[in-house]
Amino acid sequence: MKTILNTNPSHTYLRLIGMIVVFLGCIASTFAQTQISGTIIDETGEAIPGVTVVIQGTSQGSVTGIDGSYAFSTSLNGDYILSISFVGYKRILQPVSLGSGSVEQNFQLELDMIGLDEVVVTGVVNPKSKLESSVSVTTLEPKTIAQSAPRTTAEIFRTIPGIKAEASAGDGNTNITVRGVPISAGGSRYLQLQEDGLPVLLYGDIAFSTQDQYVRFDQTIDRVEAIRGGSAATTTSNGPAGIVNFISKTGSTEGGSVGTSFGVNYNSLRTDFEYGSPIGNNTSFHIGGFFRQGEGPRNANHTVNQGGQIKANLTKYFNNGLARVYYKMLNDRTAAYMPMPIQVSGTNSDPTWESVPGFDAVSNGLQTPFFQQNFGLGPDGNARNVDVSDGIHTNTHAVGAYLEFDLPNDWTISNNSRMAFNSGRFVAPFTAQVGTTASIVEPILIANGDTTAAGAVSPYTMNRVANGSTFSDTPNGLIQRIHLFDVELENFNNFMSDTQLKKSFGELGVTFGLFKAYQNIEMSWLWNTYLMEVGEDADLVNVSANGANVTDDGLVNYGVPLWGNCCTGKYNTNYDVTAPYLSASYEVSDELNIDASIRYDNVRVAGMVTPSQQVANFDINGNGTIDAPERSVSRVDNANAKIVNYSYDYVSYSFGANYLLSSDNAVFGRVSQGYVGNGERATWHQGGPYLENGAPKNSLFQAEVGYKKRFNNGGLFVTGFYAKTEEEAGVEATTQRVLSNDYRSYGLEIESNFRFNALDFRSAITYVNAEIVDNDGNTNIGNTPRRQPALQYNLLPSYNFSGGHAIGLSLIGQTKAYAQDNNELIMPGYMIVNAYVAAQLSQGLVFSLNANNLTNTIGITESEEGSITENATNYIRARSIAGRSIVASLNLTF
């Protein structure tokens, strides 16, 4: 028999179309006999658009339109529950009988501004409503997030009570902490970021690879849940102070959106999209993401932000459970803003912080079109050339699955697993020293041997690299020595899996869990030294002495000799975590429930760290001569890698209770003890492990009591807390100091949300009293930990007009803080004023303007220097929040 392959394209297309029609027909045949419809209004009788109406336990449902009406069909028969939910209102569960004709159900929703009926799924093993949970939790919906006009994912965290996020580094590399727990190193050592219930990275403070580099907020996110303290100690590894969980949409109801935003006063363009829907047979899907390109909120005058994200998931609902698979691709480049020159005068206790002349602290950065490549040796010893505009480059492909099924005899089993393939790069100019040309250049000449017989510095000339013009003094008379943080993030792959087996024994619920994780940390530090002027569009600077170049296109050294050539080297380690845990909750009465949990973490670490090696007279650029930067070259000493092989373990616990005073208020309390490992910070590539087996962990004890109250027009959350931190921390990259301190903090969180007719008012206030109680050198005891303000606040008033129009403000601020633990130099308090206006042009189509930092406030989040010379003009290195940025958006919801 001869097989004939039909190669006629038109026949192929017709056959494909026919198959699609048959497939759609099969789907249509599953659709329903029962029509469910109705109208939903608020307490004043006004229609509410956007309310979710779904048959509980299925993916079937709808969303109300602008007139408050909804309608959908179903093939289900029997008795079911309709779930009606909308942000700021109490959820309604309405029994319905299906299969006997059309069903009309109208509803009037009651206010629940604080969301006490919302079920908490983050940091708990037995999900309960906020009112019934013994944890401090905040839920941020996309509408609330938009009101604070965040430019980056990190800026979202500023509106969560108890959390301090230094959102001044760009879209990544953010320092985040909770309730006075110290920022002793970069990143978020004690706070864990999660996506759909699993950690993004195993450790939150990996140098140059922090958790927020791998997370982007976009329209695929349904909500953000944040818990502080409490059960986080036993429901995750390395996150005892809290968890921020980004929860994705799943398409349980049909709908989507597409939007484009662009910078009004800066160069930026971004498109977001998402769509989800049931597709028959109790199956739903959701897909979405974003693309962007531009300059970012600081003047770079070339493209530094470029990339995007795609996320998708598919969910199948069964009579006794569900199965979900998902995928994420993130390939994004964004500028990393390091501490940069700023001018300080006055005294340490009463300083004046202001921009350096010609270099604006809030609108300029170290990114410049005249510094776009870094040439040097790669980790394998071969020459490489890196684009400085890569900035924070994150490349992630992640696949995962979530399964949950009810079993006979009140057993339930679930598994949440994800494999993430992470890599990228971190390239950022860092001001290692700023000063006059003489103070910066002359030590370089002396080190180079360019001196006279009398020992004086040889006469020298300076020229700008880009155009060759003579460089004398800039308008501010300053030059800076740049250490380029150039780090290859070669392999940060991880596998996370959390399995739970639950059993109900009447009023007692027990959960047996096992968390398993593998985290690779493979990165190479390949830093070089440059000279650059101080100013917008700064140029690199060449220096010549005795008729020869001292620099090569601004390059001073292959390495960082003025930091002891500390920072060339390689990490290649793997972290294997096995963490069984047990949790029990007991309903003592209708009012009182208690819970207790315990977790055992066992961590095995293996791999290698590779130090640097200085090589004399190495012709890197291959020009046949030894240029000045090539006389002593730092390279990875691959022949002398050091073995890393150790393990550690610890036991964490948590105990909480919640008491319902009425259906609208409750009190709760909790104590917990948790730990955090140090990841690669337990080692140092120049000297092997600093911390011995069993030591690389940090202890955090917490206690809290809280009160939550729902009013007719709002709600209130008040929590008092205490935390004691004992650190056996690792090395700090920029100082090469091993940090070991003990801290104590206590304070109060107040979160409220009220509505007065068309006016909404949301607020969060956190008071912290923190103190250093012990350290290795017996210094700074009794002082306030660096960068810790006593008071943080955010106030978010908004007014909603008829027709879908709205205006709002976001006032975010803090009181003064100390730059360093010595408590000398004060970083002043500041307030950021953000605003937004939204106009509904037609049904589902909204035009909005969002402004961040309207007043162009300088807000210092960190300083490298801990003191200044008083009553003089000082030039130091610090990070400020970014200045005024305005974004216009057009968004269609359908």
Side-chain angles (χ1 to χ4, degrees):
M1 178 182 293
K2 180 183 291 185
T3 300
I4 299 175
L5 179 64
N6 185 352
T7 59
N8 188 324
S10 63
H11 292 173
T12 303
Y13 296 153
L14 287 172
R15 184 174 300 172
L16 179 60
I17 292 171
M19 293 173 63
I20 293 173
V21 170
V22 171
F23 176 70
L24 293 176
C26 292
I27 292 176
S29 68
T30 67
F31 285 178
Q33 297 87 20
T34 303
Q35 175 83 4
I36 304 175
S37 61
T39 302
I40 300 178
I41 59 175
D42 64 15
E43 71 283 357
T44 67
E46 291 288 325
I48 310 178
V51 179
T52 298
V53 182
V54 65
I55 300 174
Q56 195 172 49
T58 77
S59 62
Q60 300 182 34
S62 181
V63 176
T64 57
I66 193 169
D67 59 353
S69 66
Y70 70 94
F72 66 97
S73 298
T74 178
S75 60
L76 295 174
N77 288 276
D79 294 330
Y80 287 87
I81 301 292
L82 271 185
S83 173
I84 298 88
S85 59
F86 187 63
V87 178
Y89 290 87
K90 294 181 182 179
R91 186 169 60 136
I92 295 177
L93 299 177
Q94 176 65 44
V96 292
S97 295
L98 305 178
S100 58
S102 62
V103 174
E104 182 176 352
Q105 290 283 345
N106 300 318
F107 300 98
Q108 184 175 35
L109 299 186
E110 298 180 38
L111 282 174
D112 183 14
M113 299 293 292
I114 204 72
L116 291 183
D117 278 344
E118 296 172 359
V119 176
V120 180
V121 298
T122 300
V124 295
V125 293
N126 294 296
K128 297 180 183 294
S129 70
K130 286 186 184 180
L131 187 66
E132 299 171 311
S133 296
S134 54
V135 294
S136 296
V137 60
T138 296
T139 303
L140 296 179
E141 309 285 346
K143 181 179 179 181
T144 304
I145 291 171
Q147 185 177 341
S148 64
R151 293 168 290 202
T152 65
T153 301
E155 288 189 345
I156 295 172
F157 306 146
R158 302 180 307 185
T159 58
I160 301 173
I163 292 181
K164 182 179 185 296
E166 296 178 351
S168 57
D171 216 343
N173 197 237
T174 307
N175 300 323
I176 313 170
T177 190
V178 184
R179 293 178 170 178
V181 174
I183 298 177
S184 50
S188 52
R189 170 170 288 169
Y190 298 93
L191 175 76
Q192 188 180 90
L193 302 188
Q194 294 185 350
E195 281 190 309
D196 296 315
L198 286 174
V200 175
L201 293 178
L202 185 61
Y203 299 99
D205 64 339
I206 301 172
F208 308 109
S209 186
T210 56
Q211 295 176 100
D212 61 323
Q213 293 171 210
Y214 299 86
V215 179
R216 297 291 186 270
F217 179 84
D218 61 18
Q219 293 183 6
T220 65
I221 300 298
D222 178 66
R223 66 191 187 277
V224 176
E225 282 188 357
I227 73 167
R228 283 86 64 195
S231 55
T234 54
T235 53
T236 191
S237 297
N238 301 311
I243 302 170
V244 178
N245 187 16
F246 292 79
I247 301 173
S248 302
K249 297 176 182 177
T250 60
S252 58
T253 57
E254 182 178 8
S257 62
V258 60
T260 296
S261 60
F262 60 91
V264 175
N265 64 334
Y266 67 101
N267 179 16
S268 176
L269 179 66
R270 171 168 169 154
T271 297
D272 286 75
F273 71 96
E274 56 92 15
Y275 177 73
S277 175
I279 52 176
N281 294 321
N282 282 326
T283 303
S284 66
F285 79 95
H286 191 271
I287 187 170
F290 75 90
F291 310 101
R292 68 168 169 186
Q293 183 165 322
E295 183 182 7
R298 292 181 179 269
N299 300 329
N301 293 321
H302 67 291
T303 299
V304 292
N305 291 349
Q306 185 175 23
Q309 173 174 268
I310 296 290
K311 291 171 59 182
N313 60 66
L314 181 70
T315 306
K316 170 69 175 179
Y317 296 89
F318 302 92
N319 290 333
N320 64 331
L322 65 89
R324 177 177 297 127
V325 292
Y326 54 90
Y327 171 74
K328 167 184 167 180
M329 185 280 290
L330 171 65
N331 193 330
D332 196 28
R333 294 169 171 86
T334 179
Y337 305 117
M338 295 288 102
M340 56 191 79
I342 196 165
Q343 180 174 300
V344 186
S345 56
T347 64
N348 283 295
S349 60
D350 186 22
T352 299
W353 295 72
E354 54 194 337
S355 298
V356 172
F359 185 77
D360 194 306
V362 296
S363 64
N364 292 154
L366 300 180
Q367 287 71 22
T368 166
F370 302 116
F371 186 15
Q372 294 198 43
Q373 69 173 12
N374 180 43
F375 180 78
L377 293 180
D380 56 1
N382 295 321
R384 78 194 248 282
N385 198 29
V386 166
D387 187 348
V388 176
S389 297
D390 275 356
I392 302 174
H393 180 196
T394 302
N395 192 352
T396 294
H397 294 267
V399 292
Y402 177 77
L403 307 171
E404 181 179 343
F405 288 94
D406 295 329
L407 304 176
N409 301 317
D410 293 325
W411 286 93
T412 299
I413 190 169
S414 66
N415 175 265
N416 195 6
S417 296
R418 182 188 64 232
M419 182 72 192
F421 302 90
N422 300 316
S423 61
R425 179 176 288 146
F426 186 102
V427 187
F430 177 89
T431 304
Q433 184 183 4
V434 57
T436 62
T437 55
S439 66
I440 302 295
V441 174
E442 291 184 6
I444 294 172
L445 294 171
I446 293 172
N448 194 54
D450 291 304
T451 58
T452 65
V457 175
S458 299
Y460 59 93
T461 60
M462 301 172 64
N463 296 87
R464 292 179 175 87
V465 170
N467 59 23
S469 64
T470 300
F471 179 88
S472 53
D473 281 342
T474 60
N476 47 51
L478 302 175
I479 195 170
Q480 54 188 327
R481 187 179 81 246
I482 296 293
H483 288 179
L484 188 68
F485 291 176
D486 185 350
V487 181
E488 292 284 358
L489 308 177
E490 293 145 322
N491 182 345
F492 279 75
N493 299 349
N494 60 53
F495 174 74
M496 309 282 181
S497 180
D498 195 356
T499 302
Q500 296 182 358
L501 184 62
K502 301 180 181 180
K503 168 69 174 175
S504 176
F505 301 92
E507 304 302 324
L508 175 66
V510 179
T511 299
F512 306 91
L514 177 65
F515 175 77
K516 186 69 181 176
Y518 298 92
Q519 175 72 63
N520 292 329
I521 299 180
E522 182 179 355
M523 60 179 166
S524 299
W525 295 19
L526 308 162
W527 302 9
N528 290 337
T529 303
Y530 290 85
L531 285 181
M532 191 166 75
E533 59 185 338
V534 177
E536 183 177 353
D537 285 347
D539 201 347
L540 295 174
V541 176
N542 268 335
V543 178
S544 298
N546 296 321
N549 290 331
V550 178
T551 60
D552 184 5
D553 287 340
L555 175 70
V556 180
N557 302 102
Y558 291 103
V560 286
L562 292 177
W563 278 0
N565 282 317
C566 67
C567 298
T568 297
K570 184 178 179 67
Y571 295 92
N572 189 358
T573 48
N574 176 266
Y575 301 79
D576 179 353
V577 177
T578 303
Y581 56 93
L582 173 65
S583 175
S585 62
Y586 184 64
E587 301 288 340
V588 179
S589 66
D590 290 341
E591 295 79 20
L592 176 63
N593 68 78
I594 60 176
D595 66 89
S597 52
I598 189 169
R599 181 186 187 97
Y600 171 71
D601 279 74
N602 180 275
V603 185
R604 180 73 186 173
V605 185
M608 295 184 297
V609 292
T610 308
S612 66
Q613 178 188 44
Q614 290 304 117
V615 181
N617 300 322
F618 193 111
D619 185 14
I620 293 178
N621 59 22
N623 64 359
T625 62
I626 299 300
D627 300 320
E630 297 173 327
R631 295 174 186 169
S632 180
V633 173
S634 292
R635 70 178 182 184
V636 178
D637 187 9
N638 288 302
N640 289 293
K642 303 178 186 301
I643 296 296
V644 175
N645 185 22
Y646 65 91
S647 62
Y648 62 93
D649 57 11
Y650 54 82
V651 176
S652 305
Y653 68 84
S654 181
F655 176 79
N658 190 86
Y659 188 81
L660 290 173
L661 300 173
S662 72
S663 61
D664 287 322
N665 65 347
V667 292
F668 69 95
R670 182 172 293 275
V671 294
S672 63
Q673 174 73 59
Y675 296 86
V676 175
N678 281 316
E680 100 293 352
R681 292 183 185 271
T683 63
W684 178 237
H685 57 258
Q686 302 292 29
Y690 266 121
L691 304 174
E692 300 299 328
N693 289 359
K697 58 181 182 287
N698 310 283
S699 168
L700 177 60
F701 173 81
Q702 299 171 97
E704 58 189 311
V705 292
Y707 173 74
K708 43 204 166 183
K709 168 67 175 176
R710 176 166 50 204
F711 300 92
N712 291 333
N713 64 332
L716 179 68
F717 238 120
V718 180
T719 306
F721 56 84
Y722 170 86
K724 183 179 180 181
T725 310
E726 297 180 357
E727 286 196 331
E728 298 175 25
V731 67
E732 184 178 51
T734 56
T735 63
Q736 295 104 62
R737 291 184 300 124
V738 179
L739 305 174
S740 180
N741 296 297
D742 295 345
Y743 306 85
R744 184 269 309 145
S745 66
Y746 62 85
L748 188 69
E749 289 174 0
I750 302 175
E751 180 182 10
S752 66
N753 197 353
F754 287 91
R755 175 171 296 173
F756 306 95
N757 296 320
L759 176 66
D760 286 353
F761 189 84
R762 184 186 182 104
S763 68
I765 300 172
T766 305
Y767 167 77
V768 176
N769 185 305
E771 181 182 1
I772 301 171
V773 296
D774 191 19
N775 60 29
D776 283 347
N778 292 320
T779 58
N780 303 323
I781 293 177
N783 286 359
T784 301
R786 62 178 180 170
R787 290 143 60 179
Q788 178 60 61
L791 186 68
Q792 297 172 246
Y793 59 89
N794 64 79
L795 311 172
L796 287 80
S798 62
Y799 191 88
N800 300 286
F801 299 91
S802 60
H805 312 307
I807 59 173
L809 288 175
S810 169
L811 310 176
I812 301 172
Q814 66 176 56
T815 54
K816 68 179 183 180
Y818 291 107
Q820 295 292 342
D821 289 346
N822 60 7
N823 284 190
E824 293 185 30
L825 179 59
I826 284 178
M827 303 187 300
Y830 60 88
M831 182 178 72
I832 312 165
V833 179
N834 307 322
Y836 82 97
V837 56
Q840 183 162 292
L841 306 181
S842 65
Q843 183 172 344
L845 182 63
V846 175
F847 173 79
S848 62
L849 278 174
N850 291 66
N852 200 305
N853 196 1
L854 266 174
T855 56
N856 232 24
T857 296
I858 293 177
I860 304 300
T861 62
E862 66 175 284
S863 168
E864 294 296 306
E865 281 79 14
S867 62
I868 60 171
T869 300
E870 297 192 336
N871 301 313
T873 299
N874 298 262
Y875 302 104
I876 68 173
R877 303 156 300 152
R879 271 203 284 216
S880 170
I881 58 173
R884 183 187 303 112
S885 61
I886 303 173
V887 175
S889 303
L890 189 64
N891 193 78
L892 175 65
T893 302
F894 52 91

